[in-house]
Amino acid sequence: MNEPFVVTVVVKYIGEAQVPTCKFPDLPNFTKKGFSRSTTHSYVNGQTVSTCNITQNYSPLKIGTFKIPSFKVNVNELNLKSEGFSVKVSKVISDKTSTEKKDIVDSNEDFTDFIEGNQAEIISSKNDAFLSLSTNKFTPFTGEGFTVTLAFYVAENNPTEFESYQNEVQIPEITKKLKPENCWEESFGLTEMQQGQLVLNGKSYTQYKYYQATFYPLNNKPIVFPSVSLKLIKYTLGKNGEKIPEFTTFKTKSFIIKTKDLPSHPLKQEVSVGDFSLKEVINKNSINTGKSVQYRIQITGDGYNIKLPEMKNDSLFDFFPPEVNSSSYPENGKVVSTKIFTFLIIPKQAGNFALGKYFKWVFFNTKTDKYDTLQSKLQLKVSGATIKTADTPLTVISVYDGLKEKDSSEIPNDFSKFLKDEANILISIMLIGMVYILLSNKKRK
């Protein structure tokens, strides 16, 4: 009962991925709860291959064995069919304490937008129904992500029935107003309204989430999120018990994000901002000179713009350009990015070498509010004779090799042009000779 039933759609692209539209169906005895999207990039034969995973979670409503009929998922206006099957839902089996159980249930859905969000809206809501535009941070650093959520909330004890009205028109218009110009956006990829349950101030609410995205400020200018409104249909009971529809409009409160400037640092304009971790693996810890070793470094965190500095060959190592794979996905109210760099390294001198001298990455740590460095902790033991190739990097020979050293003032010799000019002169001499011979014969006659 505490585990989701998951349906995932995988969309692959050659080139940069576009965000696919995806509509999941309602399934009997289950309710939609939790939607996520992740995108990964890889490079094959010089081409970018992008894979987008769109996942819909379904929570069971009761215990039992349920027949799931054949259903379709609409992806980019194309219906993908899944055959029918059965799902068995059992009781929660756990020996954890009730407190631990509560933590598990609470972690199924993220509500961090209310930690620093619009609490006043919740407290002062009159009809136990309100539209909220909230953020999980009001004072991020430049480059630090903050998540904005647009959702409609209805208390369980609210007898009023509400119905959506032209969301396919209203929501795109609202999100256009919300997207600030001086931010990088990572959308959570909500393509339809997501429903969930939560408790606010001791009261149970149903949350209807329309939009969620993480924004990364590109400068320290204030970011203004305007008030937006959503039109819904509200049903009231008539004298004879009939439902009478009428339009009602809910509005959000505007707020300002005040971005803080990063402390002074030589790499201030280049560093990523967030909480990051590093993983690394090497296929050999001992190797001979002239042989290659594969080294992989993975950086994961809640920031963007993860870039390693360019690796330069020296007298100890030759570094081939890395193969790069990247991915991003929503998790706990923020977007988590992962970038994997796979290097091919050829050592040229014997000895014990710390890779931390070469592989280190500076970022601004939002947990400590200080600049931090992730650094390799691996050691490489190299044996064998010295290879003197420091001045000759191992690269593919190209017509552009040595282009910078060429003197552009030199006039190149064009042999084909020389032959063409000589041929034209020879033909001209032959024509003059033929004319002379013809004129001489005419005079004799």
Side-chain angles (χ1 to χ4, degrees):
M1 281 295 294
N2 63 336
E3 295 177 333
F5 166 64
V6 181
V7 178
T8 301
V9 172
V10 181
V11 184
K12 292 190 175 182
Y13 297 87
I14 300 296
E16 290 298 324
Q18 303 172 2
V19 178
T21 59
C22 190
K23 295 181 180 179
F24 291 89
D26 294 322
L27 299 181
N29 300 304
F30 290 84
T31 182
K32 292 180 182 177
K33 187 173 183 181
F35 176 94
S36 65
R37 175 184 60 87
S38 65
T39 303
T40 60
H41 306 283
S42 59
Y43 299 90
V44 180
N45 297 328
Q47 281 189 315
T48 301
V49 179
S50 301
T51 303
C52 187
N53 291 275
I54 308 134
T55 299
Q56 175 66 64
N57 291 338
Y58 292 87
S59 291
L61 298 175
K62 55 186 177 180
I63 296 170
T65 300
F66 306 107
K67 175 74 174 179
I68 304 295
S70 174
F71 63 88
K72 295 179 180 179
V73 180
N74 186 279
V75 182
N76 290 341
E77 304 303 324
L78 176 68
N79 287 322
L80 305 181
K81 185 179 180 180
S82 173
E83 299 299 330
F85 48 86
S86 296
V87 176
K88 184 178 180 180
V89 180
S90 305
K91 292 181 179 179
V92 177
I93 301 175
S94 175
D95 57 358
K96 298 181 181 294
T97 64
S98 59
T99 302
E100 289 174 323
K101 288 180 182 178
K102 182 178 182 299
D103 291 341
I104 292 173
V105 174
D106 289 348
S107 66
N108 285 338
E109 187 73 44
D110 177 74
F111 302 113
T112 55
D113 45 312
F114 288 99
I115 295 175
E116 296 181 38
N118 303 334
Q119 293 282 356
E121 288 186 2
I122 301 169
I123 296 172
S124 62
S125 59
K126 296 178 180 180
N127 300 321
D128 288 329
F130 58 94
L131 182 68
S132 171
L133 179 66
S134 55
T135 176
N136 67 333
K137 293 172 188 167
F138 279 103
T139 56
F141 284 99
T142 301
E144 180 183 4
F146 64 93
T147 299
V148 171
T149 304
L150 176 69
F152 180 61
Y153 298 85
V154 181
E156 280 190 359
N157 61 355
N158 188 343
T160 307
E161 182 180 344
F162 295 95
E163 183 179 315
S164 299
Y165 176 72
Q166 294 185 350
N167 280 353
E168 69 280 2
V169 176
Q170 289 195 82
I171 301 304
E173 291 179 351
I174 291 173
T175 55
K176 284 181 182 178
K177 297 177 182 178
L178 296 179
K179 295 178 182 180
E181 294 182 355
N182 59 329
C183 288
W184 175 269
E185 179 194 14
E186 286 286 351
S187 173
F188 280 44
L190 297 183
T191 56
E192 58 182 18
M193 181 180 65
Q194 298 299 312
Q195 182 177 336
Q197 303 293 324
L198 73 160
V199 177
L200 300 172
N201 296 336
K203 185 182 294 187
S204 296
Y205 285 83
T206 299
Q207 179 196 51
Y208 300 94
K209 192 184 297 183
Y210 300 109
Y211 174 73
Q212 195 166 28
T214 297
F215 294 100
Y216 302 88
L218 301 178
N219 51 47
N220 60 357
K221 294 181 180 179
I223 304 165
V224 179
F225 284 91
S227 172
V228 294
S229 59
L230 180 70
K231 182 182 289 187
L232 298 170
I233 299 175
K234 180 176 71 172
Y235 290 93
T236 57
L237 292 177
K239 294 181 179 179
N240 299 322
E242 74 278 12
K243 291 183 178 180
I244 302 173
E246 62 181 25
F247 286 114
T248 182
T249 300
F250 290 87
K251 291 185 178 182
T252 68
K253 293 183 179 179
S254 62
F255 59 87
I256 299 176
I257 301 294
K258 296 181 180 179
T259 308
K260 298 180 292 186
D261 203 14
L262 292 175
S264 179
H265 190 274
L267 299 176
K268 175 182 175 179
Q269 303 299 327
E270 303 175 25
V271 297
S272 295
V273 180
D275 182 22
F276 296 90
S277 63
L278 180 147
K279 292 182 180 179
E280 56 180 343
V281 63
I282 194 167
N283 66 339
K284 299 174 186 176
N285 291 103
S286 300
I287 193 174
N288 290 329
T289 55
K291 301 294 183 179
S292 63
V293 62
Q294 188 183 73
Y295 172 70
R296 181 173 298 164
I297 182 171
Q298 173 183 312
I299 299 174
T300 301
D302 56 1
Y304 82 113
N305 192 30
I306 302 174
K307 292 181 181 180
L308 282 181
E310 183 181 354
M311 305 302 299
K312 295 182 179 180
N313 299 341
D314 60 13
S315 60
L316 300 179
F317 296 102
D318 279 336
F319 301 95
F320 281 85
E323 176 186 330
V324 183
N325 290 275
S326 60
S327 64
S328 60
Y329 52 92
E331 183 179 277
N332 295 330
K334 55 188 176 183
V335 174
V336 177
S337 298
T338 296
K339 212 157 192 177
I340 301 173
F341 304 85
T342 303
F343 289 88
L344 195 65
I345 307 171
I346 296 181
K348 298 185 285 189
Q349 288 190 28
N352 293 323
F353 304 103
L355 293 183
K357 175 185 175 182
Y358 298 92
F359 295 98
K360 48 189 172 183
W361 185 69
V362 179
F363 70 102
F364 184 79
N365 194 330
T366 51
K367 278 194 170 182
T368 61
D369 289 352
K370 295 179 180 179
Y371 290 94
D372 204 346
T373 302
L374 296 177
Q375 193 166 358
S376 173
K377 297 180 181 180
L378 293 178
Q379 297 273 340
L380 184 61
K381 183 179 180 181
V382 182
S383 306
T386 299
I387 300 175
K388 296 182 179 180
T389 59
D391 296 330
T392 312
L394 296 177
T395 56
V396 178
I397 297 175
S398 168
V399 294
Y400 301 105
D401 288 349
L403 188 61
K404 292 182 179 179
E405 288 73 29
K406 294 290 184 182
D407 185 358
S408 61
S409 65
E410 293 181 0
I411 300 175
N413 294 323
D414 191 338
F415 187 65
S416 61
K417 186 176 183 301
F418 174 75
L419 288 178
K420 184 178 178 181
D421 292 341
E422 292 293 322
N424 288 335
I425 293 172
L426 184 59
I427 292 171
S428 299
I429 293 173
M430 292 176 64
L431 288 172
I432 293 171
M434 291 178 64
V435 171
Y436 176 77
I437 294 171
L438 289 173
L439 290 175
S440 298
N441 290 336
K442 189 175 181 181
K443 288 179 179 180
R444 289 174 185 174
K445 292 179 179 180

